[in-house]
Amino acid sequence: MTTLALNNVRPYGEDATNILIDVTRGVIEAIGDKRFDDADEVIDCGGNVLLPGLVDMHVHLREPGREDTETIATGSDAAAKGGFTAVFTMANTNPVIDQPFLAEAVWEKGQTYGKCDVYPVGSITQGLEGEQLTEIGLMARRGVRMFSDDGKCVNDPQLMRRAIEYAKAHDVVLAQHAEDHRMTSGAVAHEGEQAARLGLRGWPRVAEESIVARDAIMTRDYGGRYHLCHASTEGTVQLLRFAKDQGIEVTAEVTPHHLLLTDEQLKTYDGLYRVNPPLREARDAEALKQALLDGTVDVVATDHAPHGSEDKCVEFEHAKPGMLGLETSLAVVHRVFVETGLADWRFVAKVMSERPAEILRLQDQGRPIAVGEPANLVLVDPQSPWTARGEEMASKASNTPYEGIEFSARVTATWLRGTQTYGAQQD
Ligand code: DOR
Ligand code: ZN
């Protein structure tokens, strides 16, 4: 048995302890007050915070089709650097992940590379065209756990009803990108004062909220595991609260950028800030924060969306929507919740690891830091100032909205089943 000791570490930011990992089996072997100095590899963690490996329900790794902007390999590097041990990569690739063999290829590439478990998301409609449902059952049988047309909304209510029914029959998660496209044609920014001042076409809140309301009612009547991608408005929060109060089983995510940034950013017309759904107003960000704190919104998901400079360093209206997220999300969540005293590291573990693993029913992720549990772990130094720089990211793209921003929490190491996937090798 090969062993690794993580000495002087603080699980969930609580009391310092020592952890011994059986690297061969990839599980936590022992936890105790005495340092494990005889392990094959011994790391003194200097009292840093240990969390279960993070799980991201929503990324875009662009393979197949746009390997010039990200690949499963570079995306896995970015994920490991951000503290993630599992990610779900969306189906809006080229070709679209709408058949079992395509989904299997994504999973296998991720496993071969070995830095992060990359779960494929299957599309709800063939080619994301919003017309014909995919073979949800066939893909589900081959292990696809979540289906989404993300990037596009399943607008047609009859089609959505069928999708909900099929997803229920196959017991998979259906994730909706809520945007009534009939209200957002040509829109590039949140519809409000800021867009009006800047002369940008607006994307009103109601385009999201009307779909959320409809889908909540459909979920009430037709069942299934409905998940809302990137909730972005105060009204969406109210609707989710209403749905949950009625006992409707919906889950929802919020992105780090919708928690920290607002449409104030748009004043420079920098395409880096174009994203879908758009950055909204302070009151939306505030409502989303409260919703995550009280469980109305379940998880943080990055919507990591790499784009090349040819698609970002252009006029705002021509910039493609999307922002990098994997390498900055933990730092942003730390800034918004931990630094401010709104929440602790237990909360971070819950919304970035435990809840997403639970929603996707991953047996080996988001587990407690305890003996016998899988050694999917991330070590975080809460006080190690660093500055976000797109050029320095492991991601192939560099479209971070946090360029030049200083953060204090830094991921120092990540382990997937006991194998280090990120961080300086120590002896
Ligand atoms: O900003 C976004 N970018 N939102 C989406 O829904 C899709 C994504 C992408 O694929 O670039
Ligand atoms: Zn989306």
Side-chain angles (χ1 to χ4, degrees):
M1 161 169 106
T2 312
T3 54
L4 160 68
L6 304 180
N7 289 333
N8 187 19
V9 72
R10 291 190 302 129
Y12 310 100
E14 294 166 6
D15 295 342
T17 187
N18 307 287
I19 295 183
L20 185 69
I21 292 166
D22 174 347
V23 175
T24 317
R25 287 171 54 233
V27 299
I28 298 174
E29 177 73 15
I31 302 183
D33 293 338
K34 273 185 51 199
R35 299 172 63 91
F36 296 104
D37 286 325
D38 300 331
D40 298 299
E41 188 186 351
V42 177
I43 301 178
D44 188 320
C45 298
N48 281 341
V49 174
L50 192 70
L51 300 177
L54 309 180
V55 177
D56 194 341
M57 293 182 66
H58 189 153
V59 303
H60 297 268
L61 301 189
R62 306 296 188 217
E63 185 174 348
R66 285 308 300 265
E67 291 88 346
D68 56 315
T69 60
E70 196 79 292
T71 64
I72 290 166
T74 61
S76 295
D77 287 338
K81 196 170 168 192
F84 292 89
T85 49
V87 299
F88 283 75
T89 187
M90 285 295 172
N92 66 339
T93 48
N94 185 10
V96 170
I97 308 299
D98 58 7
Q99 295 178 62
F101 80 97
L102 292 164
E104 278 170 351
V106 168
W107 171 255
E108 270 151 29
K109 279 202 178 171
Q111 291 301 293
T112 304
Y113 193 63
K115 290 224 185 151
C116 185
D117 287 348
V118 179
Y119 287 91
V121 177
S123 69
I124 297 172
T125 69
Q126 291 173 26
L128 292 190
E129 283 169 2
E131 282 167 16
Q132 300 279 332
L133 291 181
T134 55
E135 293 281 3
I136 291 177
L138 278 186
M139 284 192 272
R141 245 171 280 145
R142 306 281 193 89
V144 178
R145 293 159 186 263
M146 177 160 57
F147 291 81
S148 181
D149 272 9
D150 179 64
K152 291 188 180 168
C153 182
V154 181
N155 240 6
D156 179 338
Q158 186 62 3
L159 197 68
M160 187 59 184
R161 174 188 176 167
R162 295 283 173 245
I164 287 180
E165 290 171 331
Y166 277 108
K168 182 182 183 194
H170 297 287
D171 200 14
V172 290
V173 173
L174 203 66
Q176 174 73 296
H177 170 120
E179 171 183 358
D180 192 327
H181 294 297
R182 292 163 297 191
M183 296 192 78
T184 59
S185 161
V188 297
H190 165 66
E191 183 182 284
E193 250 178 59
Q194 187 69 354
R197 196 175 305 127
L198 300 173
L200 297 172
R201 184 164 315 181
W203 190 144
R205 291 184 180 94
V206 68
E208 173 170 308
E209 294 161 11
S210 56
I211 297 289
V212 175
R214 178 199 79 180
D215 288 358
I217 296 163
M218 282 204 192
T219 306
R220 180 193 67 194
D221 289 358
Y222 312 123
R225 295 156 66 199
Y226 177 88
H227 177 78
L228 174 67
C229 296
H230 37 58
S232 77
T233 77
E234 187 184 30
T236 289
V237 166
Q238 290 161 349
L239 288 162
L240 287 168
R241 211 165 264 145
F242 167 82
K244 289 190 173 189
D245 284 349
Q246 307 274 305
I248 304 171
E249 285 188 33
V250 297
T251 57
E253 68 190 35
V254 60
T255 69
H257 48 269
H258 288 109
L259 289 166
L260 187 67
L261 307 176
T262 65
D263 63 352
E264 272 291 297
Q265 307 286 336
L266 269 46
K267 56 180 182 275
T268 58
Y269 290 95
D270 190 329
L272 277 176
Y273 301 114
R274 180 157 177 213
V275 67
N276 214 3
L279 297 178
R280 306 250 184 218
E281 297 177 38
R283 69 179 164 100
D284 300 290
E286 189 52 39
L288 290 163
K289 232 188 278 181
Q290 290 308 323
L292 193 65
L293 283 167
D294 72 17
T296 303
V297 167
D298 299 80
V299 307
V300 171
T302 65
D303 196 6
H304 178 82
H307 288 296
S309 56
E310 71 284 4
D311 286 319
K312 279 311 234 181
C313 302
V314 294
E315 298 86 340
F316 195 84
E317 300 85 278
H318 295 132
K320 282 201 177 162
M323 301 171 161
L324 296 187
L326 283 167
E327 295 169 66
T328 46
S329 56
L330 188 74
V332 171
V333 170
H334 172 264
R335 158 142 318 161
V336 173
F337 294 101
V338 184
E339 269 182 353
T340 53
L342 287 172
D344 56 13
W345 287 105
R346 285 265 173 197
F347 171 80
V348 178
K350 183 175 88 180
V351 299
M352 296 188 77
S353 174
E354 295 162 7
R355 273 301 279 151
E358 208 170 79
I359 292 168
L360 276 321
R361 299 191 183 152
L362 303 180
Q363 303 294 324
D364 59 341
Q365 300 282 347
R367 300 291 307 161
I369 299 174
V371 173
E373 294 290 353
N376 295 320
L377 299 164
V378 52
L379 189 65
V380 186
D381 185 341
Q383 267 151 355
S384 175
W386 64 285
T387 303
R389 299 265 177 234
E391 283 306 319
E392 291 167 11
M393 297 213 168
S395 172
K396 214 176 215 188
S398 53
N399 54 308
T400 174
Y402 309 110
E403 185 69 34
I405 304 239
E406 195 179 283
F407 291 105
S408 62
R410 185 203 297 258
V411 171
T412 56
T414 307
W415 292 271
L416 176 64
R417 292 182 278 280
T419 299
Q420 191 165 354
T421 52
Y422 171 71
Q425 218 66 44
Q426 341 221 345
D427 26 47

